[in-house]
Amino acid sequence: MKLLRIGEPGREKPAVNVNGLTLDVSEIVADFDSSFFEFDGLDVLRRRLADGTDGLPIVESGTRIGAPIARPGQVWCVGVNYADHAAESDLTVPGEPLIFGKASHTVVGPNDDVYIPRESTKTDWEVELGVVIGKTARYLGADENPLDYVAGVTISHDVSEREWQLEHVGQWIKGKSFERFNPLGPWLVTLDEAGDLNALGLELDINGVPQQRGNTSAMVFDVAEIVRYVSQFTVLHPGDLINTGTPAGVGLGQRPPRYLSAGDELVLRIDGLGEQRQRFVPAP
């Protein structure tokens, strides 16, 4: 399934994309939030759709698309998870996943404007595969399949402010948690439709010029290993988000570095997961 949420910020309704049509499913489920995933909402929705889509309202073209999940309880991120990105950033590939957090309020719709922080001159881009947790995961063992705990995947834009990330005592969360710094969506695609998670192409363009071209096959740690690893030091709850790292082509890695300016327009794509379009504007 392709899940999405439509409507004005704070008033989004759950919807599904079926054969190119967006259908409002708010009469079946309340929202795509932690309760939806925890109490088998995916199965409820599948059973209802298996009976047909007659009677489900068609969403008008042009309706705003929000993040495909309600605000997650946790956002975890993996740093330096592509060797080519490590090389361009003069960083060493870690021996185990490098994990940091990001404020959950950064999650916004895939096509919403993104704010460049006040006085920022080092706002950067990072296209990533986002993983949404489907059921509680703790201390996953070698005999368990971490993907059984995943609800689906989506496009995640892990926007970064490099001065605050790297130059203010080196605490990455500060450079990752500015307002609107995590556009998500358009869809949350369940694993049965997402294809091979180890073979998805990622792309990011700025003003029509290609910047990032990568593939999840180049991940140092794949999705299963990331989920397993994170479950060793925290409890992953339904609806939590994990950003899995970005390939080469970010602004920090260019010589000289190149960062975003007001008016820049970005397009992000991941195979089978749709497309994001954002305009960067000054923070209000």
Side-chain angles (χ1 to χ4, degrees):
M1 286 190 295
K2 294 183 175 71
L3 311 184
L4 68 162
R5 296 167 68 248
I6 46 92
E8 295 306 307
R11 297 184 176 182
E12 292 94 343
K13 294 181 178 181
V16 296
N17 184 279
V18 178
N19 298 324
L21 287 178
T22 299
L23 305 175
D24 183 336
V25 295
S26 58
E27 293 185 0
I28 305 172
V29 296
D31 202 355
F32 299 141
D33 56 10
S34 59
S35 294
F36 169 81
F37 295 110
E38 183 172 8
F39 297 109
D40 300 320
L42 281 173
D43 289 339
V44 171
L45 196 52
R46 281 194 182 99
R47 288 195 297 268
R48 171 60 178 84
L49 295 176
D51 292 335
T53 59
D54 291 347
L56 296 178
I58 297 175
V59 178
E60 293 183 8
S61 176
T63 301
R64 174 186 174 270
I65 300 174
I69 57 172
R71 181 183 292 186
Q74 302 180 92
V75 179
W76 295 104
C77 305
V78 186
V80 201
N81 198 32
Y82 289 76
D84 57 358
H85 174 53
E88 71 172 355
S89 304
D90 295 326
L91 296 170
T92 301
V93 175
E96 59 186 271
L98 190 165
I99 305 294
F100 59 92
K102 184 165 185 149
S104 63
H105 70 77
T106 57
V107 173
V108 293
N111 305 319
D112 290 344
D113 288 349
V114 178
Y115 296 149
I116 295 179
R118 294 181 184 181
E119 301 182 5
S120 170
T121 59
K122 296 182 180 180
T123 298
D124 206 346
W125 59 89
E126 296 187 30
V127 59
E128 306 199 5
L129 178 69
V131 175
V132 174
I133 299 301
K135 62 180 182 179
T136 302
R138 54 166 63 84
Y139 300 118
L140 296 183
D143 59 338
E144 296 177 274
N145 181 3
L147 297 185
D148 290 340
Y149 295 81
V150 172
V153 291
T154 186
I155 304 173
S156 189
H157 191 179
D158 179 23
V159 185
S160 306
E161 209 294 333
R162 300 302 190 187
E163 179 181 346
W164 277 96
Q165 178 188 355
L166 302 173
E167 301 173 28
H168 289 266
V169 200
Q171 295 171 326
W172 286 20
I173 191 171
K174 292 185 292 187
K176 301 285 186 170
S177 295
F178 286 91
E179 189 174 7
R180 299 196 177 196
F181 258 32
N182 203 150
L184 198 68
W187 310 315
L188 176 67
V189 182
T190 53
L191 295 190
D192 57 312
E193 295 188 14
D196 184 353
L197 299 189
N198 296 316
L200 300 178
L202 305 90
E203 300 180 356
L204 184 147
D205 300 342
I206 301 178
N207 301 324
V209 179
Q211 301 293 328
Q212 289 186 276
R213 294 291 186 269
N215 195 285
T216 56
S217 62
M219 281 185 178
V220 178
F221 305 102
D222 65 15
V223 171
E225 177 57 26
I226 290 167
V227 173
R228 187 191 311 279
Y229 182 88
V230 175
S231 79
Q232 304 307 307
F233 67 81
T234 192
V235 179
L236 289 168
H237 295 282
D240 285 350
L241 172 67
I242 302 177
N243 294 329
T244 59
T246 198
V250 302
L252 175 67
Q254 300 189 20
R255 299 294 181 267
R258 180 259 202 246
Y259 296 110
L260 292 166
S261 301
D264 282 338
E265 296 185 357
L266 279 66
V267 178
L268 297 79
R269 309 176 193 88
I270 296 181
D271 292 344
L273 306 186
E275 179 180 276
Q276 297 186 358
R277 290 180 173 268
Q278 298 131 26
R279 183 169 57 106
F280 276 67
V281 300

